[in-house]
Amino acid sequence: MKKGSVLLIVVMSISILLIGCSIGKKDMKEDFGFEKAQRIEVLSEGNPSLVLKKIDNKEEIIEFVRSLKVDKWVNEDTPTNAEQEYIYEMYQEDTRKPGDSQEKKLEEIATVITYKNSPYISFTAKELNVSFKVPEEVAKELSKIH
C-alpha cells in the first residue's frame, strides 16, 4: 500500500512539473511581453531625443505588436556594417507599492533598434541584449513606421 502511494505521488509530481515547463516555453516563444506596453515611442537614431511617433492607444499597440510577428524571429547576429535606423522604446506602468503616489509613472521595459535596409534588429530588455533576423515584411514595416 505504501509503495503504491509513493509511486502515485511521484508520477503526479513529475506530470505537474512537465506541464509547467511546457507552458513557460510556449509563452516565451510567442512574445516578449510587448502586449503589456502602454506606450511606444519611435526615435531616430540620428537624434534620439526627438520622438518621431508616439503610440499610446491600446488597439494601436496591439496592432503594432501583431505586425512584429515575434514567433518568426530567428536569433542571429547583426552584420557589423549594419547602420542603425530607428529606436522603438516600449513603456509600461511601474508596479505600485503601498505608500507610492497616485501619479502614473511609465518605465521603459524594452527597446528595439532597427537597421537601414536590413532584416536585423537588436532587442534589449533589462540586462538582456539579443540580435534577431526578422521576416522581410516586418523589417519593411518597422522602417516605414515614423
Side-chain angles (χ1 to χ4, degrees):
M1 182 69 175
K2 286 185 179 181
K3 287 182 181 181
S5 298
V6 171
L7 182 61
L8 179 63
I9 291 172
V10 169
V11 170
M12 288 179 59
S13 298
I14 292 173
S15 299
I16 291 170
L17 180 65
L18 292 175
I19 289 170
C21 289
S22 68
I23 288 172
K25 287 181 183 176
K26 177 184 172 200
D27 290 343
M28 182 59 181
K29 183 61 179 169
E30 287 180 2
D31 62 63
F32 291 100
F34 293 154
E35 78 286 343
K36 296 177 185 174
Q38 293 170 303
R39 183 177 75 213
I40 300 171
E41 292 180 352
V42 184
L43 313 170
S44 170
E45 177 57 35
N47 187 0
S49 61
L50 175 65
V51 177
L52 300 174
K53 183 174 184 175
K54 186 186 298 185
I55 305 170
D56 54 9
N57 177 293
K58 189 64 177 170
E59 289 81 29
E60 289 179 11
I61 291 172
I62 291 170
E63 183 179 320
F64 174 77
V65 170
R66 284 186 184 144
S67 75
L68 293 177
K69 300 181 182 180
V70 176
D71 60 327
K72 296 188 181 350
W73 291 9
V74 178
N75 189 327
E76 196 171 307
D77 288 338
T78 305
T80 55
N81 63 346
E83 188 179 342
Q84 293 183 357
E85 185 173 34
Y86 295 115
I87 302 169
Y88 289 80
E89 292 180 345
M90 298 172 193
Y91 296 87
Q92 177 183 346
E93 186 175 350
D94 194 20
T95 305
R96 289 189 184 169
K97 297 168 188 80
D100 284 353
S101 68
Q102 297 292 11
E103 184 180 326
K104 183 179 178 180
K105 185 177 178 186
L106 297 179
E107 298 287 329
E108 186 177 330
I109 59 170
T111 302
V112 173
I113 298 175
T114 64
Y115 297 90
K116 290 182 181 177
N117 304 316
S118 173
Y120 294 92
I121 64 162
S122 293
F123 169 77
T124 305
K126 296 191 182 195
E127 300 297 318
L128 176 70
N129 189 1
V130 187
S131 296
F132 293 98
K133 183 173 183 181
V134 298
E136 285 291 332
E137 66 269 14
V138 173
K140 287 179 184 175
E141 189 66 27
L142 287 171
S143 290
K144 73 178 185 179
I145 297 178
H146 57 280

